[in-house]
Amino acid sequence: MIKTTTPTRHRASLGRYFEDFAVGDVYEHFPGRTITETDNIQFSLLTMNNHPMHCDHAFAAKSEFGKPLVNSGLTLAIVLGMTVADVSGKAIANLGWKDIQLIAPVHPGDTIYAESEMLEKRESKSRPTQGIVTVRTIGKKADGVVFMSFVRSVLIPKRGHGVQDIV
């Protein structure tokens, strides 16, 4: 989204206000992301997950997958990050995630994409200038295989009440 500040100056805007969400809308997040072996190993080591399925090709070759798996924490983080521009760029807070499902394996070299469906929205009972939106996000590989799904609720400001409106 772009906000025109003067006739010749435009400011990029991240996310949506509460009023901009409609139940049933689907946001196809762009761009996708190809996960590299380096991404996987660095994330795994950074988070102290030293499972050999993420970093030992010889070990992983003996598994049912035949090759290393991408750390599911990394895929969750990337898919969540892909949603920010459309869902939570104006968020005050994430309120929670539920029903996180890991449906299919992801391997280094896979390109992943995400989309979110608006499930519910309601005005906050205790914060009159804010509302709660709930989305279901799925992660898909380039071949269309869904590998992940989760539901997330986010506290979103109403138009005129976001931090961006003060800047």
Side-chain angles (χ1 to χ4, degrees), residues 26-105:
V26 175
Y27 306 109
E28 296 176 357
H29 310 298
F30 185 81
R33 174 73 153 73
T34 301
I35 302 176
T36 68
E37 184 173 12
T38 301
D39 295 330
N40 191 37
I41 290 172
Q42 287 181 340
F43 183 89
S44 295
L45 294 175
L46 179 68
T47 58
M48 299 183 71
N49 180 341
N50 63 353
H51 195 290
M53 282 301 296
H54 304 309
C55 60
D56 184 332
H57 279 263
F59 180 91
K62 296 174 189 171
S63 76
E64 66 183 90
F65 303 104
K67 56 186 175 180
L69 296 172
V70 172
N71 184 318
S72 56
L74 176 58
T75 56
L76 178 62
I78 291 173
V79 169
L80 177 64
M82 289 176 170
T83 71
V84 170
D86 295 310
V87 176
S88 59
K90 293 191 182 334
I92 296 147
N94 280 307
L95 300 178
W97 293 269
K98 64 182 182 179
D99 298 328
I100 299 171
Q101 298 179 25
L102 306 175
I103 302 163

Side-chain angles (χ1 to χ4, degrees), residues 112-126:
I112 63 173
Y113 298 90
E115 64 182 50
S116 297
E117 177 185 2
M118 260 296 295
L119 300 177
E120 179 182 345
K121 78 181 245 186
R122 70 172 180 82
E123 293 188 11
S124 171
K125 294 174 184 149
S126 61

Side-chain angles (χ1 to χ4, degrees), residues 14 16 87-94 152 154-157 163-164:
L14 187 63
R16 291 176 163 75
V87 176
S88 59
K90 293 191 182 334
I92 296 147
N94 280 307
R152 173 167 71 128
V154 185
L155 186 63
I156 305 285
V163 172
Q164 297 89 338

Side-chain angles (χ1 to χ4, degrees), residues 31 89 107 116 126 129 165:
H107 303 282
S116 297
S126 61
T129 63
D165 299 319

Side-chain angles (χ1 to χ4, degrees), residues 128-144:
T129 63
Q130 301 163 10
I132 298 168
V133 299
T134 302
V135 298
R136 175 181 293 108
T137 298
I138 61 168
K140 295 192 288 190
K141 295 195 277 187
D143 63 5

